[in-house]
Amino acid sequence: MPWHVYILQCADGSLYTGITTDLQRRLQQHNGELTGGPRFTRGRRPVQLVWSAAAADRSVAQQREAAIKNLPRERKLQLVAMVEAGGRPF
């Protein structure tokens, strides 16, 4: 199964970064449509997927997730904007 790194924007404007093998299922969990969503997004629904990228394996996905989580908010928003404009983040 391919792994994905993703960034969500919550209803309050906050950003959440995570990894998964099934983006659709995970997004449904974040929005409360399926059980298993993280505590962080429960009070910040609805959430919207604003960025995602495939990763070769779980290790690469976790490394990218950690790198993104260490970025300041402004840089995360630039990453999202760059991809929306057709650029490649990694």
Side-chain angles (χ1 to χ4, degrees):
M1 275 191 174
W3 283 86
H4 300 275
V5 184
Y6 62 91
I7 299 176
L8 302 176
Q9 185 162 24
C10 301
D12 66 357
S14 61
L15 299 173
Y16 178 89
T17 304
I19 64 171
T20 188
T21 56
D22 186 341
L23 278 171
Q24 190 63 30
R25 174 191 49 82
R26 194 64 175 142
L27 187 57
Q28 289 176 316
Q29 288 175 324
H30 282 290
N31 278 314
E33 298 165 16
L34 296 174
T35 59
R39 192 175 322 177
F40 182 86
T41 59
R42 283 187 197 144
R44 296 173 169 89
R45 293 176 183 149
V47 300
Q48 177 182 356
L49 180 67
V50 293
W51 178 86
S52 70
D57 56 35
R58 183 179 183 150
S59 177
V60 172
Q62 288 177 316
Q63 290 171 7
R64 287 183 181 172
E65 176 189 28
I68 292 169
K69 284 183 173 184
N70 284 325
L71 294 174
R73 177 180 170 79
E74 295 77 28
R75 183 66 183 106
K76 291 176 192 176
L77 292 173
Q78 288 174 355
L79 176 68
V80 170
M82 181 173 61
V83 172
E84 288 174 352
R88 296 198 66 201
F90 288 98

